[in-house]
Amino acid sequence: TGTRTRTVRYTNVSDRDVTLDVRTALATSGGREIADGVLTPAARTVTVPAGGTADLPLTVDPARAERGAYYGHVTATAADGSATVHTTLSLGVRGPVHRLKVVSYDNDGNRVDNLPMIWGAEGFVGYTDRENAVAEVEEGTYQLTSGGIERTDEGEVLRQVVLPEIKVTKDTTVVVDPRRTVKVEIRTPKPAEQSGVLSYQTYRKIDGHAWIDGTMYFDSARALYVSPSPEVTDGTFEFASRWQLVAPLLEAGVTGGDDLDAYYMPESPLFDQRGERLRAVDAGRADAPDFRGARGRLAVVTDEQGIAGPQLAERAAAAGVRAVLVVNFAPTGWTRWTPHGDRWKVPVVRVGSGEGADLLKRVARRTTTVAFGGTARSPYLYDVMQISEGRIPGRLVHTVSERNSAVVRSEYPDNGGVEWAAEQRFARRPYQEFTWLQYTRHVPTAFTRTEYVTSGTTEWEHVVNHRTVDGVDAPLDTGLRDTPRTYRAGEQVRERWQGAVVRPGIPREGVPASVREGNVLRLRIPEFTDSAPGHWSRFTPGGDSGIGVRVPGPETAEAQLYRDGRKVADLADAWRDVEVPGGDAEYRLRLRTTRDSAEWAYATATDTTWTFPSGTVTGEARLPLLQVDPEVPADLRNTVGPGRTHTLRLTVRHQDGLAAPRGVRTTVEVSYDDGRHFTGAPVRAGKGNTFTATVTRPAGVRGDAHVTLRVTARDASGASVRQTVTRAYGHRG
């Protein structure tokens, strides 16, 4: 406040006078230039005598600038260009300070103590009087947020009050009232429930400064409520919530009575997908159950100590009980079912204490039947990013349809072991530098699912791992991933994950190019790609496939690089920078991998050798590493049918950015004894470097078998690739 003067002093170390022309510039921290008059030099020229100094006063008039942070410079230049002097400036314009008082209520209209978060262009604001919820703030625009979890008779509810635009020009009082919030409704074409973490976030940008405020919670939350707001006029605002909905896992209800909010215990077996109806009987306490009279029925036990586990299920199974319903000690029965681990002997589900007490009263009065339904193999998934830009409307309904979604038909082939995989489709709004608030999910394998994905400006990246993971309360960072992308409304997409043939290779997109830069080969070859273009995964030594993740696992990788037949380097993998001698030479790169476990029955070993010419370059040049993309007519178990012959289709290409290879020749060999004996498969050339090969099962092989595939391709330039994939896919007997 008030006019201020600062001085720039120039020193001349030359032996002659220098006259400088002066220019000034000033801008907001967001980059918006400020009009003249805020920063004024005392003169537009200044003469600095030889060996002397000259002062240039600068006057700042904050009345001509809005509150905020500014940066700028004074540039003084000699007319003949012999000297240029640059002085950097910063300026902070502070506004008058006022009291911002917050008055908070609960859902019953009672005043409550609450200190909501206050944020403005200068950052977060603390309370100067915490007892009375008063903060002293400069004039300007602020956002206030307050949220929490409420436990109601219907379960847990998330509620968020957002006041995105509080303009403070005097002492101001704002009211935080959760009774004014409205429910976020996600309407789906088919019955669906939230599965996994539910999250929501606000984005606020004021005067070039931005803040993202996010919250996530378990799917025990029954609803999300948020406060409507007027249209924001100062800066940018968005509210977004992230939903992942599938068919209900478990539906339960008393015949002729109320539905039950029931949950499977973590390792419980599932009820028949066609549904089951069981008569309920009171079986006492979980620590001393009495299963007499419960044979073939639903035993209801009360668990005051939270001890219900596999031993209870085992005792129930020994008594012939069909299923157990546990009355939890807490108001909710929420727990998380997992698809892996040893299954308990009978289905065990849990309800909250209130519901359980009502059920037991009913059982004591009359014959009571409980019906169970639901499915763990949901044929559909709704990946939803609900977005409200500029304001939060008074009615917040997002109806999933092809008008606001892409329809993705995703196939998840089975590769052995537990018939489940881990996956997540991460969503990122344009203002986010990284994804967050999204944890791991599980999906059945040998399975096709229709997935509705919100279209528009949300960027999505799908990650799929071939096995389940124990730590689902963390982002999935292992497995194949695709290139982040947006979707168009109504777009129809097909995806296939972990489909044969899985092998090392450079995908069509998603990874940096493998190049030569001077005398350095920058190799960027993922160890695992699958049948779909753009899917790739790195291998980390001593760990499962994934980017930067080290978990003990049965995988290995090694590589060697040769120059004109002489070894240049032993490498841990083919994702390395390798310095090589200058000049032209023929290079050979060999990469071998293994992955052999109960969870991975195919592509248990690979051996790939690339031969390519390369010489010293100025700048950067992509390496002519031939790639072979095989297409196998495999089913969802990565097997071909029992017919004696089947046809493979192969495409030979270079990595993106290089012209198509010329004069390509290809040979295909197969083995039905894990590579001990190979036989050639007739190959016919097609258009555009495509080839078809006819594979014939040997006469002596009659049952189910594994096909080991060896493909060799060469082009006219001398580049070649030879790739062997052990147990590339199955051939049914």
Side-chain angles (χ1 to χ4, degrees):
T1 58
T3 302
R4 299 294 178 91
T5 301
R6 292 291 182 266
T7 300
V8 179
R9 172 165 291 174
Y10 297 104
T11 301
N12 184 358
V13 297
S14 71
D15 57 1
R16 62 184 179 86
D17 296 350
V18 177
T19 299
L20 302 173
D21 294 325
V22 177
R23 298 189 305 276
T24 62
L26 198 65
T28 67
S29 57
R32 178 171 53 87
E33 295 231 358
I34 302 302
D36 290 340
V38 178
L39 176 66
T40 305
R44 291 297 174 180
T45 61
V46 58
T47 299
V48 189
T53 62
D55 290 344
L56 175 67
L58 302 172
T59 301
V60 175
D61 184 0
R64 294 176 176 268
E66 297 178 357
R67 167 185 169 270
Y70 300 84
Y71 71 93
H73 54 265
V74 178
T75 303
T77 306
D80 60 3
S82 61
T84 299
V85 183
H86 182 94
T87 303
T88 301
L89 307 174
S90 65
L91 169 68
V93 179
R94 305 299 181 190
V97 175
H98 304 290
R99 287 165 52 90
L100 177 61
K101 180 177 178 60
V102 182
V103 177
S104 299
Y105 294 90
D106 63 17
N107 279 326
D108 297 322
N110 302 312
R111 285 280 298 270
V112 293
D113 294 331
N114 187 22
L115 297 174
M117 192 174 295
I118 303 171
W119 182 85
E122 297 299 313
F124 297 101
V125 177
Y127 287 86
T128 52
D129 181 356
R130 297 176 66 87
E131 184 176 347
N132 295 297
V134 174
E136 293 186 355
V137 301
E138 295 180 39
E139 283 192 3
T141 301
Y142 297 87
Q143 173 169 297
L144 183 146
T145 59
S146 176
I149 307 161
E150 298 172 11
R151 289 171 174 82
T152 68
D153 293 340
E154 298 180 355
E156 295 173 321
V157 170
L158 302 177
R159 201 176 297 271
Q160 185 83 353
V161 175
V162 183
L163 307 178
E165 191 166 63
I166 302 169
K167 293 187 175 181
V168 178
T169 58
K170 59 183 179 179
D171 288 353
T172 302
T173 298
V174 296
V175 176
V176 174
D177 191 345
R179 295 170 297 175
R180 299 177 183 175
T181 58
V182 297
K183 185 177 182 180
V184 180
E185 296 183 59
I186 308 298
R187 298 179 179 175
T188 57
K190 296 180 180 179
E193 65 182 11
Q194 177 71 13
S195 177
V197 165
L198 167 63
S199 65
Y200 56 91
Q201 62 191 37
T202 59
Y203 170 70
R204 191 70 173 98
K205 187 174 184 180
I206 304 172
D207 193 25
H209 298 267
W211 172 45
I212 306 175
D213 176 29
T215 301
M216 62 180 175
Y217 198 66
F218 301 111
D219 49 10
S220 57
R222 286 302 190 209
L224 168 62
Y225 289 80
V226 64
S227 57
S229 71
E231 188 78 24
V232 166
T233 59
D234 184 5
T236 304
F237 171 75
E238 178 182 289
F239 171 81
S241 56
R242 171 80 171 94
W243 304 77
Q244 38 199 7
L245 304 112
V246 295
L249 171 63
L250 177 63
E251 296 174 301
V254 176
T255 303
D258 296 330
D259 291 338
L260 296 174
D261 191 17
Y263 300 87
Y264 281 113
M265 295 295 282
E267 294 176 329
S268 169
L270 304 174
F271 288 109
D272 192 305
Q273 281 200 147
R274 295 169 295 183
E276 296 190 43
R277 297 164 62 88
L278 300 173
R279 180 179 171 182
V281 297
D282 188 343
R285 303 194 319 268
D287 59 341
D290 180 3
F291 291 129
R292 290 175 297 178
R295 176 173 289 276
R297 296 175 177 174
L298 175 69
V300 183
V301 298
T302 302
D303 187 8
E304 295 290 347
Q305 300 170 310
I307 63 171
Q311 295 82 8
L312 176 66
E314 192 167 342
R315 295 177 65 178
V321 174
R322 172 64 189 108
V324 177
L325 186 146
V326 176
V327 179
N328 197 24
F329 61 89
T332 177
W334 182 83
T335 184
R336 178 187 290 144
W337 181 80
T338 60
H340 53 265
D342 294 333
R343 296 295 93 182
W344 295 356
K345 297 296 185 181
V346 296
V348 181
V349 301
R350 192 166 73 177
V351 299
S353 55
E355 276 191 317
D358 292 342
L359 176 62
L360 286 171
K361 290 177 183 177
R362 183 184 178 105
V363 169
R365 294 195 308 265
R366 69 184 78 168
T367 299
T368 301
T369 300
V370 179
F372 295 98
T375 179
R377 299 172 64 85
S378 175
Y380 48 86
L381 164 71
Y382 302 105
D383 261 338
V384 174
M385 181 63 84
Q386 172 271 317
I387 301 163
S388 298
E389 295 183 278
R391 70 183 182 99
I392 301 174
R395 188 167 177 269
L396 218 168
V397 178
H398 179 101
T399 301
V400 178
S401 72
E402 293 189 27
R403 292 189 297 273
N404 58 19
S405 308
V407 181
V408 182
R409 183 177 174 85
S410 291
E411 298 177 349
Y412 300 93
D414 178 50
N415 280 289
V418 177
E419 292 190 344
W420 289 81
E423 62 90 27
Q424 178 59 268
R425 184 178 279 109
F426 294 95
R428 185 175 70 88
R429 298 293 299 138
Y431 48 79
Q432 292 177 240
E433 295 181 1
F434 52 86
T435 58
W436 68 337
L437 308 181
Q438 295 160 79
Y439 283 171
T440 302
R441 311 182 295 209
H442 286 133
V443 63
T445 57
F447 189 67
T448 300
R449 186 169 65 182
T450 301
E451 300 170 351
Y452 291 79
V453 184
T454 299
S455 57
T457 55
T458 299
E459 186 177 73
W460 299 88
E461 181 181 18
H462 203 175
V463 180
V464 180
N465 194 19
H466 65 277
R467 63 178 184 87
T468 59
V469 297
D470 292 326
V472 294
D473 289 332
L476 181 65
D477 50 11
T478 63
L480 292 172
R481 62 190 57 224
D482 60 10
T483 303
R485 58 159 299 179
T486 59
Y487 291 93
R488 302 188 311 274
E491 185 177 359
Q492 302 286 323
V493 181
R494 293 183 68 91
E495 288 187 348
R496 186 177 177 92
W497 292 91
Q498 316 286 356
V501 173
V502 176
R503 77 283 179 199
I506 301 175
R508 291 188 179 275
E509 55 186 15
V511 301
S514 290
V515 302
R516 178 161 183 160
E517 186 175 353
N519 287 328
V520 176
L521 301 186
R522 304 195 187 280
L523 304 172
R524 299 294 184 267
I525 304 176
E527 290 79 7
F528 304 106
T529 62
D530 67 8
S531 60
H535 293 176
W536 64 279
S537 175
R538 284 297 325 283
F539 161 72
T540 301
D544 196 2
S545 59
I547 297 178
V549 176
R550 295 179 182 270
V551 181
E555 297 185 357
T556 66
E558 62 172 341
Q560 297 84 35
L561 180 67
Y562 298 83
R563 182 181 187 272
D564 287 336
R566 299 184 62 181
K567 185 185 291 187
V568 174
D570 287 307
L571 308 171
D573 50 51
W575 194 289
R576 304 278 161 172
D577 291 350
V578 185
E579 189 170 355
V580 296
D584 295 340
E586 180 182 80
Y587 287 86
R588 186 169 81 251
L589 174 65
R590 185 180 188 187
L591 171 63
R592 286 173 286 187
T593 71
T594 65
R595 178 195 271 172
D596 193 3
S597 73
E599 297 295 332
W600 190 256
Y602 300 107
T604 54
T606 70
D607 188 347
T608 309
T609 298
W610 289 273
T611 302
F612 58 96
S614 179
T616 304
V617 295
T618 300
E620 186 178 276
R622 302 196 177 209
L623 298 174
L625 295 161
L626 286 181
Q627 306 296 310
V628 178
D629 298 329
E631 296 179 35
V632 179
D635 59 17
L636 288 174
R637 295 196 178 275
N638 275 330
T639 61
V640 297
R644 191 175 178 200
T645 64
H646 59 275
T647 300
L648 306 182
R649 187 173 186 271
L650 304 103
T651 302
V652 180
R653 60 178 174 84
H654 277 309
Q655 59 175 319
D656 289 349
L658 289 176
R662 297 187 176 186
V664 175
R665 293 172 294 151
T666 302
T667 61
V668 176
E669 300 166 277
V670 295
S671 170
Y672 279 75
D673 57 6
D674 292 345
R676 290 187 293 274
H677 303 90
F678 280 93
T679 58
V683 177
R684 184 174 61 185
K687 295 181 179 180
N689 287 330
T690 63
F691 303 84
T692 56
T694 302
V695 176
T696 302
R697 178 205 301 269
V701 178
R702 299 189 180 277
D704 291 346
H706 290 96
V707 180
T708 293
L709 180 65
R710 185 161 69 194
V711 178
T712 305
R714 297 179 178 83
D715 72 1
S717 73
S720 69
V721 60
R722 182 180 178 129
Q723 186 166 71
T724 303
V725 181
T726 302
R727 298 195 167 199
Y729 56 94
H731 192 161
R732 296 198 306 276

